[in-house]
Amino acid sequence: MPSELIELTGHIVDSGTLQRVLDQAIAAGADYVVEEFRLGHNKKDESYARVRIDAPTPATLETVLELITRSGATLVRGEGVELEKAPADGVLPDDFYATTNLPTDILIGGKWVPVANTEMDCAIVVSGGRKRLTARCLRMHRVKKGDLVVVGHAGIRVEPPARLTKERAFEFMASSVSSEKPKHLVIREIAKQMKATHKAGKKILFVGGPAIVHTAAGNHLQALIEKGYVDVLFAGNALAAHDIESNLFGTSLGVSLQSGTAVEHGHEHHLRAINRVRAAGSIAKAVKKRVIRDGIMFACVKKKVPFVLSGSIRDDGPLPDVITDMPEAQDAMRAHLPGVGLALMVGTTLLSIATGNMLSASVKTICVDINPAVVTKLSDRGTFHAIGLVTDAELFLKTLTRELRV
Amino acid sequence: MPSELIELTGHIVDSGTLQRVLDQAIAAGADYVVEEFRLGHNKKDESYARVRIDAPTPATLETVLELITRSGATLVRGEGVELEKAPADGVLPDDFYATTNLPTDILIGGKWVPVANTEMDCAIVVSGGRKRLTARCLRMHRVKKGDLVVVGHAGIRVEPPARLTKERAFEFMASSVSSEKPKHLVIREIAKQMKATHKAGKKILFVGGPAIVHTAAGNHLQALIEKGYVDVLFAGNALAAHDIESNLFGTSLGVSLQSGTAVEHGHEHHLRAINRVRAAGSIAKAVKKRVIRDGIMFACVKKKVPFVLSGSIRDDGPLPDVITDMPEAQDAMRAHLPGVGLALMVGTTLLSIATGNMLSASVKTICVDINPAVVTKLSDRGTFHAIGLVTDAELFLKTLTRELRV
Amino acid sequence: MPSELIELTGHIVDSGTLQRVLDQAIAAGADYVVEEFRLGHNKKDESYARVRIDAPTPATLETVLELITRSGATLVRGEGVELEKAPADGVLPDDFYATTNLPTDILIGGKWVPVANTEMDCAIVVSGGRKRLTARCLRMHRVKKGDLVVVGHAGIRVEPPARLTKERAFEFMASSVSSEKPKHLVIREIAKQMKATHKAGKKILFVGGPAIVHTAAGNHLQALIEKGYVDVLFAGNALAAHDIESNLFGTSLGVSLQSGTAVEHGHEHHLRAINRVRAAGSIAKAVKKRVIRDGIMFACVKKKVPFVLSGSIRDDGPLPDVITDMPEAQDAMRAHLPGVGLALMVGTTLLSIATGNMLSASVKTICVDINPAVVTKLSDRGTFHAIGLVTDAELFLKTLTRELRV
Amino acid sequence: MPSELIELTGHIVDSGTLQRVLDQAIAAGADYVVEEFRLGHNKKDESYARVRIDAPTPATLETVLELITRSGATLVRGEGVELEKAPADGVLPDDFYATTNLPTDILIGGKWVPVANTEMDCAIVVSGGRKRLTARCLRMHRVKKGDLVVVGHAGIRVEPPARLTKERAFEFMASSVSSEKPKHLVIREIAKQMKATHKAGKKILFVGGPAIVHTAAGNHLQALIEKGYVDVLFAGNALAAHDIESNLFGTSLGVSLQSGTAVEHGHEHHLRAINRVRAAGSIAKAVKKRVIRDGIMFACVKKKVPFVLSGSIRDDGPLPDVITDMPEAQDAMRAHLPGVGLALMVGTTLLSIATGNMLSASVKTICVDINPAVVTKLSDRGTFHAIGLVTDAELFLKTLTRELRV
């Protein structure tokens, strides 16, 4: 019977890692024998387990090993990673190792080398000579013919997520996305975390959807930007267009943001707003020419907060600043991620999932949406570390700015 | 071909009544000929239409007449209502006229007599001699053998809902339940309407669900009560039990309302809270004995705001004040409705629908829920006049109390 | 520092019990030292842990012990349960032990005695002399003055839920309520489980909401009843009234179930249907008098399938069979639970939670709703073992009856 | 006081057009006097109204005219359209007329000229000499410097939507998106409409999201394609990638589509599937090389059903067939729309809205989603004519293929 020895180290019981690995083995049709186990005596101690995986077929063994190495198990046999050349530009070797968003090391030349730019669903590409070996995550479309790509699953060590024991409010939310919990406490905690992120010299990324403008909550986001609480903004054509529309015409999608009445000519207004920015050449130029005199995008230009506006198939116009090519837009977003310590995602399913996929598990990720399905989807797609808050984006931003005394 | 002449008077075009009546005729398989039509020249003028309904069969004609008289059409032939005796206690004549929640008159003895206690899905019972004839709505289970009940649909005049032209924010919301609209404007309008209701000498009814306490928003409702913005409270065992639990133990369903951490022994706490009130005898007695020293129910007792706690099949305990028999609980609620000018329903599907069913269409009804389906259901069940606000109950109450400067 | 030794036995790692207990200790502010730990070598072996809980205060220790004994930890010190007399009818001692829905034993007179009628949120009442000691779960409102009630948490042993390793489709669903999973496989598995339940001599309980009739899926439920796949039916006034309406008038809430057209006089029809059954005296009498000739309730009467119709605050009528007093209705439902092996809950939030609260964790519970919040709520309220299926009730029943070849 | 005479012709009462126009005038702050009104005597007759709009300011008058001409009102004064040259490529004159998706004519040179390619939110560009004048809708980004663009709102006639009186099931659904209606009747009607569409020589467009594959319902869509019920397919990278993954590995997002068990290595599989197609060069080449041997995309290639795969910001890979530039992808979709008679949109918010925005109001549009918000959004964004069906995509497709006897 094909078998393999694996080991696990760290907070493997209270983080659920051991349970998860044994589960995955059983679920995939294999069996296990725990050969050695040491449980940490208290919450600070690490635990250790050495487990033999027995599988009915080599294929099942491969499947199990693929799964459990991604969960934190490491092969005991101590072989280094296997490398294979990419067969063509944008094409990986068939058996490439697909990364998680957890800190990862690879064993190469007898040494554990950390992998840079940890990101989910990438390949690991190794470069440099023996002495200056480096490993980094690379997206499929960026790989070049001949790049040395890690294949299989030997020589890979993934650090499983530890329990967060201090951040109680956060932890508590992490277990649930229910709207039936006291959210103002979580909002207070988010405010604290935002301040702590800046104190730690990290950046705050804000990812926002157009509902922020439709609900007349744009001024809250603008205030966050003006007071320095947003270091990068990811949004789409819609948020920017409706923000500019609201400043040019006082409406968003045809609803007056002053009186709340449905003026019903939103499409015209929002098209005209886009048209004027196209005429000016860009958002920054429209600000300079005083076409745009207020609002979220105005604040970004004035405060020099970089923004990435990514296109979408339902865009009108679009605004000249929108990056219409998707891999290009993804790479533009990716370029802003180093240094991000906290990502706040409000009212946008698509951009939340897109951004979540790019973030390292070490980035605090908070996803706010009135629809519980969005948060569920985010987790289903692999952003397990996201804290979901099922609430109203408008009233959330209002409360958050108050907490931050913006 | 069976046919009948009907007429319509009022703002029948801009309120959609004419379109609705013609729709109903066609939908039910009948046809129509507009014999006379006068459109009001401006928005103040009333319009008039006389329409002949032609149906293929007498049964179809009956169906159409039943529908359109409920929408505001009146038979031209001018016969009075037909009456029949109730065959037994709690049983109506088979062909009883089922009421709408719109102002209704019946033609009897050559005079139009208004129907008292307009409520949906009731029978109209006539009493008194020729000179002192009165008509009132009565629930099926309250009818007594021999009561004179209106049957058929001749001699009935329902006043169709007029357009509300002043209250723009409200009107705008009425057309939609979307969370993607600026809600703080509507909340401001609700605050104004609450003040206007009191100025007009009318009562404010608050209908609340337990999420108010789970989300630690109980103090906002308490403040509304203490400042006189709630004249009657309808709730269930859960809201009261969790409110009392939160004041006895600082938790609601096992979540600490101070720190937001999941203490996970909610069931015990909420059972113990109920148990202590049962030991005291009633909520009022528990307040007197200083078992309960704060919270929503405490405020009701102290401010002498009447409350009706109705039972439900999932209740624990229940608290001694809960009315466990459903028709009895409905009648207890009904007893508080005269004089109510505004009903604010927050976070409760079941009680919102139950209360909505009892309210006259003239009562301003606002239904707040994070789940759009609740508002949709309320309309589907006949409370067409309700304004739905899809938002977070906790942040809604927080914002409302701020608007009211409570 | 106050401390207590506890022990855990069984599949405590792969069921997550150990992780949960350590979590609860930390979350409540205590600390732990694992004094002994033996991990089962393979998936069949049981594991064992002896853990010392150290708490800063006696109160914290009490809180931790309360939580973890409910999760499966047992105090090592081996004292028996403490008993206290109920101070009045319907009132428990303040410190009563609140039950879980897991198999529970109590240590009394040196012996572990199993607790009968395991149900969540009850008290444990002990009766009989020393030799014939029995223990059973009792609801608060059923307790009598002087009953001997278990208080505190010494001498209580709860069997934590084991992993289900065979039923893969079920297990998989249990981890998620997403609609984005292949549901026909789960429906096939439900069909198998229904057959297996009967083969094992257990009963199938069906809990249904009115949407079953509104969506014209009543005939599928009727078929399940007629073919013997429903042994008990729990529903409300609405399901029964709309079912009878649909058989008397061919509509449900005013929608023709044949053509799908909105006839818009639903309220009348459903009131008339209730009125006719009230005139007949009961559903069974209306069947006998051939007032009701088809449908769900007809099938129940004909097949002698017992049903409990529980009242609700929004009921019209109600039907004479409806139990309008809530504790009475709960007890009527409870009386049918012994012998139930599988509960299928379709399209009803309120009754699903009410029934879930009464069920032992050993009953296979499947909750089907188009709204993911319902399943989430069910778990939040303690029915952790429920399998949630987020799908359309109508198409679910259609597919299920096909799978069962009904 | 500025005023303008407008007229309305057609089924303006029973379609709600008259009410809507008067509403819009009042809502925007203007007033009206009905100068002439003729109501059709029966349901076949057209009605006619001539109304004077009085506004307090010229700006208000402009606003009202803009709104009501889009709703079907035509200026009586009979002036032709005003034209202005586009100032630059991709930039429209500031005051351009923004189109609806309703049939539109413009008055030019004394003649009413129909506008080709009716699509929402476009400009109308006029070309050709006096004798061969043509008008067509053009997207902002396609306009060229110097193009003659219609500005203002004189000389524009929009045909308001008529009532559909025959298609009852459809009509009924149109009024509501509730899941609490009998859906199998609507599904039957959809099947009929699909057949009728083909009989009328029109194309069926299918717009699908990845949930179709995740729920193992891909085989139903494949069957629809194979039996000729899909003439064009719009999808994204995800649907195609998961479809190909499911055929290469038997999983979708890591869930085995055979057993329903969570294999948990979905990301790898779906990345490997994309990688293999990238290696092959395109989906068609991968089919030719027998890398892909079954599934939705296989069926499209084999049956020569054209497909447009549009990119999105959250794409992995993407597949080589995906159009990653958004305006390019929109234009690729647009190129397939002529001849489409029915659009069936299943389980995709983004593509449904994107496609809905491009469709003429004359295309029967059916949107199926388990989330009611999707359908609401579709209407909010202007696709008023869409029929929303709130149900489970998987069971919907299963039922539809059965109805079509595929």
Side-chain angles (χ1 to χ4, degrees), chain A residues 13-16 18-19 23 26-27 31-34 37 39-43 163 168 180 377 380-381, chain C residues 13-16 18-19 23 26-27 31-34 37 39-43 163 168 178 180 377 381:
Chain A
V13 171
D14 56 7
S15 70
L18 177 59
Q19 183 190 347
D23 262 18
I26 298 296
D31 218 327
Y32 64 82
V33 176
V34 179
F37 185 79
L39 182 64
H41 283 263
N42 57 49
K43 68 180 173 183
R163 288 290 314 279
R168 301 301 309 159
E180 297 204 352
K377 268 197 185 178
D380 277 6
R381 297 294 179 279
Chain C
V13 172
D14 56 7
S15 72
L18 177 58
Q19 183 190 347
D23 262 18
I26 297 296
D31 216 328
Y32 64 80
V33 176
V34 178
F37 186 79
L39 182 64
H41 282 263
N42 56 48
K43 66 180 173 183
R163 289 288 315 280
R168 301 301 308 163
S178 167
E180 297 204 352
K377 269 197 186 177
R381 296 296 178 278

Side-chain angles (χ1 to χ4, degrees), chain D residues 232-275:
Chain D
V232 193
L233 175 71
F234 290 175
N237 185 58
L239 178 133
H242 291 301
D243 169 59
I244 295 168
E245 174 198 348
S246 77
N247 286 291
L248 262 58
F249 300 100
T251 58
S252 177
L253 267 188
V255 173
S256 162
L257 299 178
Q258 303 310 309
S259 69
T261 57
V263 186
E264 267 189 73
H265 41 147
H267 286 296
E268 299 88 312
H269 278 178
H270 121 255
L271 292 171
R272 288 190 214 300
I274 293 169
N275 194 46

Side-chain angles (χ1 to χ4, degrees), chain B residues 8-138:
Chain B
L8 287 150
T9 311
H11 294 282
I12 59 178
V13 172
D14 56 7
S15 71
T17 302
L18 178 59
Q19 182 190 348
R20 184 172 162 84
V21 162
L22 300 183
D23 261 18
Q24 290 175 318
I26 297 296
D31 217 329
Y32 65 81
V33 176
V34 178
E35 299 208 332
E36 196 182 332
F37 186 81
R38 291 192 303 272
L39 183 64
H41 282 264
N42 56 49
K43 67 180 173 183
K44 280 169 224 141
D45 292 355
E46 299 207 327
S47 301
Y48 171 83
R50 196 175 64 246
V51 180
R52 199 184 70 224
I53 304 292
D54 297 319
T57 66
T60 303
L61 187 61
E62 288 304 289
T63 299
V64 172
L65 294 179
E66 184 171 4
L67 285 170
I68 69 180
T69 53
R70 286 168 63 98
S71 294
T74 312
L75 305 200
V76 170
R77 66 171 128 111
E79 279 171 23
V81 289
E82 202 181 333
L83 299 172
E84 205 176 307
K85 285 187 180 169
D89 281 11
V91 182
L92 292 163
D94 207 51
D95 193 30
F96 75 97
Y97 172 81
T99 56
T100 65
N101 56 9
L102 299 164
T104 304
D105 299 301
I106 59 171
L107 184 59
I108 186 160
K111 279 198 297 189
W112 286 103
V113 175
V115 178
N117 298 104
T118 337
E119 181 182 334
M120 202 155 43
D121 294 337
C122 287
I124 299 174
V125 170
V126 172
S127 54
R130 287 208 181 158
K131 299 216 167 144
R132 298 189 143 210
L133 260 179
T134 60
R136 70 203 153 102
C137 281
L138 205 67

Side-chain angles (χ1 to χ4, degrees), chain B residues 13-16 18-19 23 26-27 31-34 37 39-43 163 168 180 377 380-381, chain D residues 13-16 18-19 23 26-27 31-34 37 39-43 163 168 178 180 377 381:
Chain B
V13 172
D14 56 7
S15 71
L18 178 59
Q19 182 190 348
D23 261 18
I26 297 296
D31 217 329
Y32 65 81
V33 176
V34 178
F37 186 81
L39 183 64
H41 282 264
N42 56 49
K43 67 180 173 183
R163 289 289 314 280
R168 300 302 308 161
E180 298 203 351
K377 268 197 185 179
D380 278 6
R381 298 294 179 279
Chain D
V13 172
D14 56 7
S15 71
L18 178 58
Q19 182 190 347
D23 261 19
I26 298 295
D31 216 328
Y32 64 80
V33 177
V34 179
F37 186 79
L39 181 65
H41 283 263
N42 56 49
K43 67 180 173 185
R163 287 291 313 282
R168 300 303 307 161
S178 167
E180 297 203 352
K377 269 198 185 178
R381 299 291 178 283

Side-chain angles (χ1 to χ4, degrees), chain D residues 48-288:
Chain D
Y48 170 83
R50 196 174 66 245
V51 180
R52 200 184 70 224
I53 304 292
D54 297 320
T57 66
T60 304
L61 187 61
E62 288 305 288
T63 299
V64 173
L65 294 179
E66 183 171 4
L67 285 170
I68 69 178
T69 53
R70 286 169 62 98
S71 294
T74 311
L75 305 199
V76 169
R77 65 173 127 112
E79 279 171 24
V81 288
E82 203 182 332
L83 298 173
E84 205 176 305
K85 284 187 180 171
D89 282 10
V91 183
L92 292 163
D94 207 51
D95 193 30
F96 75 97
Y97 172 82
T99 55
T100 65
N101 58 8
L102 299 164
T104 304
D105 298 300
I106 59 171
L107 184 60
I108 187 162
K111 278 198 297 191
W112 286 101
V113 176
V115 178
N117 299 102
T118 337
E119 182 182 332
M120 203 154 44
D121 294 335
C122 287
I124 299 175
V125 170
V126 171
S127 55
R130 286 205 182 160
K131 301 215 167 143
R132 297 188 143 209
L133 262 179
T134 59
R136 70 207 152 98
C137 281
L138 204 66
R139 299 300 292 175
M140 191 188 283
H141 71 279
R142 291 290 169 220
V143 81
K144 294 289 168 201
K145 184 174 176 171
D147 277 354
L148 284 171
V149 177
V150 173
V151 295
H153 33 69
I156 295 161
R157 191 171 64 191
V158 168
E159 188 182 307
R163 287 291 313 282
L164 310 165
T165 48
K166 290 282 174 57
E167 301 152 24
R168 300 303 307 161
F170 266 50
E171 206 175 329
F172 137 64
M173 283 310 297
S175 66
S176 167
V177 296
S178 167
S179 65
E180 297 203 352
K181 300 271 168 75
K183 279 140 285 167
H184 64 272
L185 296 169
V186 184
I187 298 173
R188 185 165 298 163
E189 183 64 28
I190 292 170
K192 271 190 210 160
Q193 296 281 348
M194 288 172 76
K195 288 178 175 173
T197 300
H198 272 176
K199 202 166 270 176
K202 295 275 189 175
K203 295 192 293 185
I204 296 172
L205 164 64
F206 192 99
V207 184
I212 293 170
V213 183
H214 300 331
T215 58
N219 58 328
H220 303 308
L221 174 52
Q222 184 178 352
L224 289 179
I225 295 165
E226 286 171 352
K227 298 299 177 187
Y229 282 110
V230 175
D231 300 298
V232 193
L233 175 71
F234 290 175
N237 185 58
L239 178 133
H242 291 301
D243 169 59
I244 295 168
E245 174 198 348
S246 77
N247 286 291
L248 262 58
F249 300 100
T251 58
S252 177
L253 267 188
V255 173
S256 162
L257 299 178
Q258 303 310 309
S259 69
T261 57
V263 186
E264 267 189 73
H265 41 147
H267 286 296
E268 299 88 312
H269 278 178
H270 121 255
L271 292 171
R272 288 190 214 300
I274 293 169
N275 194 46
R276 288 193 195 164
V277 180
R278 288 174 76 99
S282 75
I283 292 173
K285 283 179 191 162
V287 168
K288 213 174 172 187

